[in-house]
């Protein structure tokens, strides 16, 4: 059974909803799944002076407090990791980057080598840096020697207008929670299934070669 981790950063719930859908799809595809959120910064640090955004962040944080925080053990355990992040000026969020910065002990012993990685995002606007956010996040995967598996355009759902790009599912939040649509959910399910399929084949091949 493939071990599949979904590790994400979410401020108001859009990335969280995609992460939940990805975890459900991976489990349905036969993987053992861990859903993990990274430790967040404070709302005041992220968007100072925006009362509506702060209220949404506070509500979302309280609603998802039961989800375990990501740890290096989750990365060590997993065969495949799907990463989710809001876009921040075309870059991954600070909390997710902060977690990635803790991975040196695992990376130093090649603990992330040949693990399958993929990513998804949500931004406030249609051209809010979705592609550059995912490409920036993927840079860490290259350093680790991981196997990057994008969703591509191999499934018709990737051609839906709101799904963004072949690098990874991309939703548009318009600075509000609850803007993940049915096409986004179908696309992230496809991305998770594709990861399980490729990881299964990769693990089988590596085991046979060993």
């Amino acid at each position: 059974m493939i071990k599949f981790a979904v590790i994400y950063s979410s401020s108001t719930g859009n990335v969280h909803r995609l992460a939940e859908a990805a975890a459900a799809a991976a489990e349905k595809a036969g993987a053992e799944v861990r859903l993990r959120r990274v430790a967040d910064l404070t709302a005041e640090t992220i968007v100072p002076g925006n009362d509506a955004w702060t209220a949404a962040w506070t509500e979302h944080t309280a609603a998802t407090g039961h989800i375990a925080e990501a740890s290096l053990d989750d990365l060590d355990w997993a065969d495949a990791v799907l990463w989710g992040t809001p876009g921040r000026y075309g870059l991954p969020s600070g909390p997710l980057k902060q977690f990635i910065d803790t991975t040196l002990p695992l990376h130093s012993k090649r603990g992330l080598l040949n693990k399958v990685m993929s990513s998804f995002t949500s931004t406030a606007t249609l051209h809010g840096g979705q592609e550059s956010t995912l490409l920036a996040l993927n840079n860490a995967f290259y350093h680790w020697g991981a196997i990057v598996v994008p969703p591509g355009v191999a499934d018709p759902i990737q051609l839906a207008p709101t799904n963004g790009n072949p690098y990874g599912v991309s939703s548009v939040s318009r600075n509000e929670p609850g803007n993940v649509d049915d096409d986004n959910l179908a696309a992230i399910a496809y991305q998770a299934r594709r990861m399980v399929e490729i990881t299964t084949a990769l693990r089988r091949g590596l085991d046979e070669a060993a």
Side-chain angles (χ1 to χ4, degrees):
M1 180 180 287
I2 293 301
K3 297 174 181 177
F4 191 103
V6 182
I7 296 178
Y8 73 96
S9 167
S10 185
S11 298
T12 59
N14 292 297
V15 175
H16 167 73
R17 190 175 177 199
L18 291 168
E20 283 191 317
E27 188 170 36
K28 188 174 180 179
E32 182 181 356
V33 178
R34 290 184 184 180
L35 177 65
R36 298 289 188 265
R37 60 182 178 87
V38 298
D40 210 344
L41 305 174
T42 65
E44 290 77 11
T45 302
I46 302 171
V47 184
N50 187 326
D51 293 341
W53 193 95
T54 299
W57 178 86
T58 302
E59 181 180 353
H60 172 66
T61 300
T64 58
H66 63 285
I67 297 176
E69 288 187 0
S71 69
L72 293 189
D73 175 68
D74 297 314
L75 292 180
D76 193 29
W77 168 86
D79 299 307
V81 185
L82 179 56
W83 301 78
T85 180
R88 297 283 185 259
Y89 299 113
L91 296 167
S93 72
L96 193 70
K97 179 59 167 59
Q98 182 172 273
F99 175 69
I100 288 173
D101 285 348
T102 71
T103 61
L104 183 59
L106 189 56
H107 171 54
S108 296
K109 62 179 185 178
R110 298 186 178 181
L112 297 164
L113 186 68
N114 292 337
K115 292 180 183 285
V116 169
M117 304 281 172
S118 195
S119 55
F120 63 95
T121 189
S122 178
T123 61
T125 59
L126 185 59
H127 298 290
Q130 293 99 330
E131 293 182 2
S132 61
T133 295
L134 297 180
L135 290 171
L137 181 54
N138 288 359
N139 284 334
F141 309 159
Y142 306 143
H143 281 261
W144 296 337
I147 310 299
V148 181
V149 176
V153 288
D155 189 279
I157 191 60
Q158 285 302 102
L159 300 176
T162 61
N163 282 336
N165 61 74
Y167 304 112
V169 171
S170 306
S171 73
V172 178
S173 71
R174 306 195 187 283
N175 277 326
E176 296 176 2
N179 280 310
V180 174
D181 64 26
D182 289 343
D183 284 341
N184 296 150
L185 296 174
I188 197 65
Y190 158 68
Q191 187 170 350
R193 290 194 305 270
R194 173 167 159 76
M195 287 184 70
V196 172
E197 177 184 355
I198 298 301
T199 305
T200 300
L202 176 65
R203 288 296 149 197
R204 185 181 300 119
L206 290 174
D207 289 345
E208 291 175 355

PDB file of all heavy atoms in Angstrom, residues 35-36 59 73-74 92 114 163 204:
ATOM      1  N   LEU A  35      -3.254  13.454   6.390  1.00  0.00           N
ATOM      2  CA  LEU A  35      -3.558  14.846   6.072  1.00  0.00           C
ATOM      3  C   LEU A  35      -2.948  15.699   7.167  1.00  0.00           C
ATOM      4  O   LEU A  35      -3.276  15.543   8.344  1.00  0.00           O
ATOM      5  CB  LEU A  35      -5.071  15.054   6.011  1.00  0.00           C
ATOM      6  CG  LEU A  35      -5.568  16.483   5.756  1.00  0.00           C
ATOM      7  CD1 LEU A  35      -5.161  16.958   4.369  1.00  0.00           C
ATOM      8  CD2 LEU A  35      -7.082  16.564   5.916  1.00  0.00           C
ATOM      9  N   ARG A  36      -2.058  16.617   6.780  1.00  0.00           N
ATOM     10  CA  ARG A  36      -1.321  17.405   7.759  1.00  0.00           C
ATOM     11  C   ARG A  36      -1.282  18.880   7.355  1.00  0.00           C
ATOM     12  O   ARG A  36      -1.059  19.217   6.195  1.00  0.00           O
ATOM     13  CB  ARG A  36       0.126  16.893   7.878  1.00  0.00           C
ATOM     14  CG  ARG A  36       0.249  15.450   8.364  1.00  0.00           C
ATOM     15  CD  ARG A  36      -0.116  15.337   9.827  1.00  0.00           C
ATOM     16  NE  ARG A  36       0.168  14.021  10.378  1.00  0.00           N
ATOM     17  CZ  ARG A  36      -0.719  13.035  10.480  1.00  0.00           C
ATOM     18  NH1 ARG A  36      -1.963  13.228  10.030  1.00  0.00           N
ATOM     19  NH2 ARG A  36      -0.391  11.882  11.019  1.00  0.00           N
ATOM     20  N   GLU A  59     -11.524  32.100  12.136  1.00  0.00           N
ATOM     21  CA  GLU A  59     -12.560  31.072  12.068  1.00  0.00           C
ATOM     22  C   GLU A  59     -12.016  29.783  11.476  1.00  0.00           C
ATOM     23  O   GLU A  59     -12.274  28.683  11.991  1.00  0.00           O
ATOM     24  CB  GLU A  59     -13.730  31.585  11.220  1.00  0.00           C
ATOM     25  CG  GLU A  59     -14.884  30.597  11.110  1.00  0.00           C
ATOM     26  CD  GLU A  59     -16.034  31.131  10.269  1.00  0.00           C
ATOM     27  OE1 GLU A  59     -15.994  32.320   9.891  1.00  0.00           O
ATOM     28  OE2 GLU A  59     -16.967  30.352   9.996  1.00  0.00           O
ATOM     29  N   ASP A  73       8.587  13.423  10.471  1.00  0.00           N
ATOM     30  CA  ASP A  73       8.181  12.015  10.475  1.00  0.00           C
ATOM     31  C   ASP A  73       7.193  11.720   9.347  1.00  0.00           C
ATOM     32  O   ASP A  73       7.247  10.644   8.739  1.00  0.00           O
ATOM     33  CB  ASP A  73       7.559  11.650  11.826  1.00  0.00           C
ATOM     34  CG  ASP A  73       7.010  10.234  11.837  1.00  0.00           C
ATOM     35  OD1 ASP A  73       7.820   9.282  11.779  1.00  0.00           O
ATOM     36  OD2 ASP A  73       5.771  10.074  11.871  1.00  0.00           O
ATOM     37  N   ASP A  74       6.312  12.674   9.058  1.00  0.00           N
ATOM     38  CA  ASP A  74       5.346  12.471   7.975  1.00  0.00           C
ATOM     39  C   ASP A  74       6.050  12.378   6.631  1.00  0.00           C
ATOM     40  O   ASP A  74       5.675  11.568   5.779  1.00  0.00           O
ATOM     41  CB  ASP A  74       4.336  13.628   7.951  1.00  0.00           C
ATOM     42  CG  ASP A  74       3.504  13.693   9.207  1.00  0.00           C
ATOM     43  OD1 ASP A  74       3.009  12.645   9.653  1.00  0.00           O
ATOM     44  OD2 ASP A  74       3.373  14.797   9.771  1.00  0.00           O
ATOM     45  N   PRO A  92       5.348  30.413  -2.569  1.00  0.00           N
ATOM     46  CA  PRO A  92       4.617  29.670  -1.540  1.00  0.00           C
ATOM     47  C   PRO A  92       4.476  30.517  -0.272  1.00  0.00           C
ATOM     48  O   PRO A  92       5.226  31.463  -0.045  1.00  0.00           O
ATOM     49  CB  PRO A  92       5.510  28.450  -1.284  1.00  0.00           C
ATOM     50  CG  PRO A  92       6.367  28.330  -2.496  1.00  0.00           C
ATOM     51  CD  PRO A  92       6.591  29.729  -2.978  1.00  0.00           C
ATOM     52  N   ASN A 114      13.855  10.146  -4.278  1.00  0.00           N
ATOM     53  CA  ASN A 114      12.947   9.271  -5.037  1.00  0.00           C
ATOM     54  C   ASN A 114      11.524   9.224  -4.493  1.00  0.00           C
ATOM     55  O   ASN A 114      10.737   8.360  -4.908  1.00  0.00           O
ATOM     56  CB  ASN A 114      13.496   7.840  -5.137  1.00  0.00           C
ATOM     57  CG  ASN A 114      14.742   7.768  -6.003  1.00  0.00           C
ATOM     58  OD1 ASN A 114      14.969   8.625  -6.855  1.00  0.00           O
ATOM     59  ND2 ASN A 114      15.558   6.746  -5.782  1.00  0.00           N
ATOM     60  N   ASN A 163      -9.305  25.713 -13.495  1.00  0.00           N
ATOM     61  CA  ASN A 163      -8.308  24.837 -12.903  1.00  0.00           C
ATOM     62  C   ASN A 163      -6.872  25.292 -13.071  1.00  0.00           C
ATOM     63  O   ASN A 163      -5.957  24.668 -12.567  1.00  0.00           O
ATOM     64  CB  ASN A 163      -8.459  23.406 -13.435  1.00  0.00           C
ATOM     65  CG  ASN A 163      -9.602  22.692 -12.755  1.00  0.00           C
ATOM     66  OD1 ASN A 163      -9.987  23.038 -11.650  1.00  0.00           O
ATOM     67  ND2 ASN A 163     -10.171  21.717 -13.427  1.00  0.00           N
ATOM     68  N   ARG A 204       7.187  -0.282  -7.356  1.00  0.00           N
ATOM     69  CA  ARG A 204       7.314  -1.642  -7.866  1.00  0.00           C
ATOM     70  C   ARG A 204       8.623  -1.793  -8.637  1.00  0.00           C
ATOM     71  O   ARG A 204       9.357  -2.783  -8.476  1.00  0.00           O
ATOM     72  CB  ARG A 204       6.126  -1.980  -8.759  1.00  0.00           C
ATOM     73  CG  ARG A 204       6.116  -3.426  -9.251  1.00  0.00           C
ATOM     74  CD  ARG A 204       4.938  -3.703 -10.157  1.00  0.00           C
ATOM     75  NE  ARG A 204       3.670  -3.470  -9.469  1.00  0.00           N
ATOM     76  CZ  ARG A 204       2.758  -2.592  -9.839  1.00  0.00           C
ATOM     77  NH1 ARG A 204       2.964  -1.838 -10.924  1.00  0.00           N
ATOM     78  NH2 ARG A 204       1.639  -2.458  -9.177  1.00  0.00           N
TER      79      ARG A 204
END
